Amino acid sequence: MDIKLSPIKSITTAHVTLSGSKSETNRLLVLQALFPHITITNTSNSDDSTVMQNALNDTDAVINVHHAGTAMRFLTAYSAIQQNKTVVLTGSSRMQQRPIGVLVKALRSLGVTITYLGTEGYPPLQITGKKIKASAVSIAANVSSQYITALLLIAPKLKNGLQLTLSGEITSLPYINMTLALLNQVGIEAKMQGNTISVQPIGVNPKPVNIVVESDWSSASYFYAIVALAPLGSTVSLSSFKEGSLQGDAALATIYNNFGVTTHFHNNTTITLTKSSTSIPSTINLTLNNTPDIAQTIATTCFGLGVGCNLTGLHTLKIKETDRLQALKTELQKLGAIVTITNNSFSMQPHSLFSDNKNANKVVSIATYNDHRMAMAFAPLALKTPIIIEDAAVVSKSFLDFWEAIQKLGFAATKL
Ligand SMILES: O=C(O)C1=C[C@@H](OP(=O)(O)O)[C@@H](O)[C@H](O)C1
Ligand SMILES: C=C(OP(=O)(O)O)C(=O)O
C-alpha cells in the first residue's frame, strides 16, 4: 500500500501519545525472561517488540526475527545461555545481510557453539546454549552497540558476571549507557570505566521491580520535523517523555533548536514542541554517531527548510534496515536535492527549491526500501510539497499507528 500526502500549509494543534521505546522494551523483555522479579509498563507496541516477545515465548527450533536488529542480536546472546537447547535464529533477507560476526566471535570465545548456516558472519545462525564459565571477553565496539548490549543483558546470569573490554571507537554509546542504566534499575551492579564494562552476577532473591518504559524518542523525531517545517507558532504536545531520558535520541530537543523548535517539559510526562523562530542557519554541521536513528529525520528536515547540512559519524547507516545513506541520497535527489555521501557522511547543499516554487506541485513518489524510517522521515515534507510514500505499512517496525498520529495533526493521507 502506498500513501499519498496532499500538501498542507499548517498543522492542527494536537496531543499525541506515543508507545514505549522499542530499545528499552526489547532490553527489558530479555531481562524479564531471565529474571522474573521484573515487571514492565508502557511496553512498545512496535513489530520489533512483538517479534521479541513472541520469540522469547517460542519453543520452536527455528525463530524468525524478520527485520528486528535488536531481536536478532539480543536473542543470539540469550540463546547462547539456554543450556542444552539448540535453536536456529534467522530473519528477513535484509537481516541476512546485516553483520553479526563480532558478536558470534565473542560468544565463541566464551565457549558457545555457533554455526553459520548461510554466509560466514551473517544470520542465519544455529546456536547450542551452554553454561558459560568464562567471565571476561573483548569485543570490537565500532560496528554496532547492539552486540555489546546483547552480552551485557546475559552477563548477570553468568556465575561470575562479565568483564567486557571494548576495542576501537565506540559507536552508538548512549545505547550502551541505556543498557547499563536499566541493569542498575533492576538491581544489577554494572558500570563502565574507560573501555571496560563490568557486570556483577545478580544477587539472591532480588526485590520485585516495575519499570515504566518512557515513550520512544526516535518516534518523536518525526513530530520535531513536522513542527520545524510548520509555520511560526505551530505547536504539538507528546507524551510520555521526561527530562533525563535513558534514550540518546532525546538530543532532539537540543538539535531542533537549530531549526527554530523549542521543547518544554511538563511534570515529567508531556513535552510541547513549538516553532518559535524562523531564524535558521544556511548550513548546519552535526556529528550523529550517538544518534544514528534520527539522521534521516534531520536530513529531510534540512531539505524541507532549504538548509544545507554536513552530517558525520554515520558509518553504521549502511548496515541498518537498508543502506540509509544511499537511500536518502536517491530519494532526496528525486526532489531536486544536491547530495554527496561517503561511507560515513551525508552532505546536502542549501537550496531555495520550495520557496522558488519550481517543483512545489510535482508529486514525487518516495521508495522506502523496507525501512520504516525512510517512510516516516519523508512524510513531514507534505508541509512543502505533495508526496507519495511507497509501501507505507513499513512504519510498523517501530511506530504502529504513525499514519493515524500525523492525521491528527491535519495531514491529508489517501491510500492508493
Ligand atoms: O540498542 C538498540 O536498541 C539500538 C542501537 C542502535 O544500533 P547500532 O548500535 O547498531 O547503531 C540503533 O540504531 C538501533 O535502532 C537500536
Ligand atoms: C536500526 C534500527 O533498528 P534495528 O537495528 O534494531 O533493526 C532502527 O530502528 O532504526
Side-chain angles (χ1 to χ4, degrees):
M1 176 203 50
D2 298 348
I3 278 188
K4 181 172 176 209
L5 295 169
S6 302
I8 52 167
K9 292 214 155 24
S10 59
I11 57 170
T12 313
T13 300
H15 178 85
V16 180
T17 301
L18 299 182
S19 176
S21 152
K22 85 171 160 83
S23 289
E24 290 184 36
T25 300
N26 282 9
R27 285 162 173 72
L28 287 164
L29 288 173
V30 174
L31 287 173
Q32 187 182 44
L34 295 171
F35 309 112
H37 72 289
I38 302 168
T39 50
I40 322 168
T41 315
N42 194 36
T43 50
S44 163
N45 62 4
S46 65
D47 287 356
D48 280 14
S49 294
T50 306
V51 156
M52 179 64 107
Q53 180 70 81
N54 291 344
L56 288 164
N57 294 337
D58 209 338
T59 49
D60 289 354
V62 179
I63 293 174
N64 187 331
V65 300
H66 305 283
H67 296 304
T70 48
M72 183 69 216
R73 281 71 179 259
F74 302 172
L75 290 169
T76 295
Y78 176 83
S79 306
I81 57 165
Q82 303 307 305
Q83 287 175 49
N84 307 319
K85 280 195 196 148
T86 296
V87 74
V88 171
L89 282 184
T90 189
S92 61
S93 56
R94 175 61 182 169
M95 187 56 67
Q96 298 183 27
Q97 298 168 348
R98 297 184 68 185
I100 196 152
V102 168
L103 176 59
V104 170
K105 188 172 166 218
L107 287 166
R108 280 178 172 170
S109 81
L110 288 169
V112 182
T113 305
I114 304 183
T115 313
Y116 291 112
L117 298 181
T119 311
E120 185 84 6
Y122 298 85
L125 304 177
Q126 179 175 283
I127 305 167
T128 302
K130 67 173 291 187
K131 190 176 172 94
I132 294 178
K133 296 208 180 89
S135 60
V137 69
S138 303
I139 186 162
N142 57 352
V143 181
S144 168
S145 69
Q146 293 180 15
Y147 310 143
I148 294 152
T149 288
L151 294 174
L152 295 177
L153 293 175
I154 60 164
K157 197 77 183 172
L158 309 187
K159 189 163 176 281
N160 298 311
L162 190 65
Q163 179 155 319
L164 205 54
T165 307
L166 310 187
S167 61
E169 204 177 321
I170 302 173
T171 199
S172 302
L173 178 63
Y175 290 97
I176 298 176
N177 291 334
M178 174 195 285
T179 311
L180 295 175
L182 288 173
L183 287 171
N184 293 159
Q185 285 182 19
V186 302
I188 291 156
E189 244 185 276
K191 58 176 191 293
M192 184 164 181
Q193 278 171 317
N195 66 346
T196 305
I197 303 179
S198 50
V199 182
Q200 300 307 315
I202 191 146
V204 275
N205 297 330
K207 275 201 232 115
V209 57
N210 181 60
I211 306 285
V212 182
V213 175
E214 189 187 5
S215 290
D216 196 290
W217 274 95
S218 320
S219 298
S221 74
Y222 310 107
F223 298 92
Y224 273 91
I226 287 168
V227 173
L229 300 184
L232 194 63
S234 301
T235 179
V236 168
S237 64
L238 306 174
S239 63
S240 297
F241 292 98
K242 54 181 190 205
E243 267 179 302
S245 177
L246 301 184
Q247 300 167 54
D249 287 354
L252 282 161
T254 311
I255 293 173
Y256 270 73
N257 269 329
N258 293 297
F259 303 125
V261 180
T262 37
T263 307
H264 290 285
F265 290 83
H266 308 283
N267 304 324
N268 269 341
T269 55
T270 305
I271 51 174
T272 306
L273 319 185
T274 308
K275 175 76 174 183
S276 53
S277 166
T278 49
S279 143
I280 290 162
S282 62
T283 298
I284 186 160
N285 302 320
L286 294 167
T287 300
L288 299 176
N289 55 339
N290 279 338
T291 54
D293 292 358
I294 56 174
Q296 289 148 295
T297 322
I298 293 170
T300 54
T301 301
C302 287
F303 181 72
L305 291 170
V307 172
C309 62
N310 298 302
L311 308 179
T312 53
L314 300 180
H315 58 289
T316 63
L317 261 61
K318 299 187 301 288
I319 56 166
K320 299 212 182 273
E321 284 79 337
T322 183
D323 176 343
R324 288 182 169 168
L325 289 170
Q326 187 57 54
L328 269 178
K329 179 174 187 218
T330 307
E331 300 311 308
L332 282 167
Q333 279 176 344
K334 286 185 185 168
L335 290 159
I338 301 172
V339 173
T340 315
I341 54 171
T342 67
N343 268 343
N344 58 11
S345 70
F346 172 95
S347 299
M348 185 169 58
Q349 290 185 14
H351 66 92
S352 54
L353 194 65
F354 295 126
S355 52
D356 286 354
N357 226 17
K358 277 187 212 136
N359 268 3
N361 283 315
K362 206 170 113 194
V363 186
V364 174
S365 187
I366 301 296
T368 52
Y369 310 89
N370 289 317
D371 184 359
H372 53 141
R373 302 205 189 282
M374 284 302 287
M376 297 188 285
F378 277 79
L381 292 178
L383 275 155
K384 301 288 173 186
T385 186
I387 197 162
I388 291 171
I389 306 291
E390 297 173 18
D391 194 13
V394 72
V395 298
S396 63
K397 182 176 192 284
S398 66
F399 194 161
L400 202 57
D401 40 12
F402 174 76
W403 298 111
E404 291 76 16
I406 67 165
Q407 285 177 72
K408 257 183 120 173
L409 308 188
F411 278 68
T414 320
K415 289 182 187 167
L416 298 179

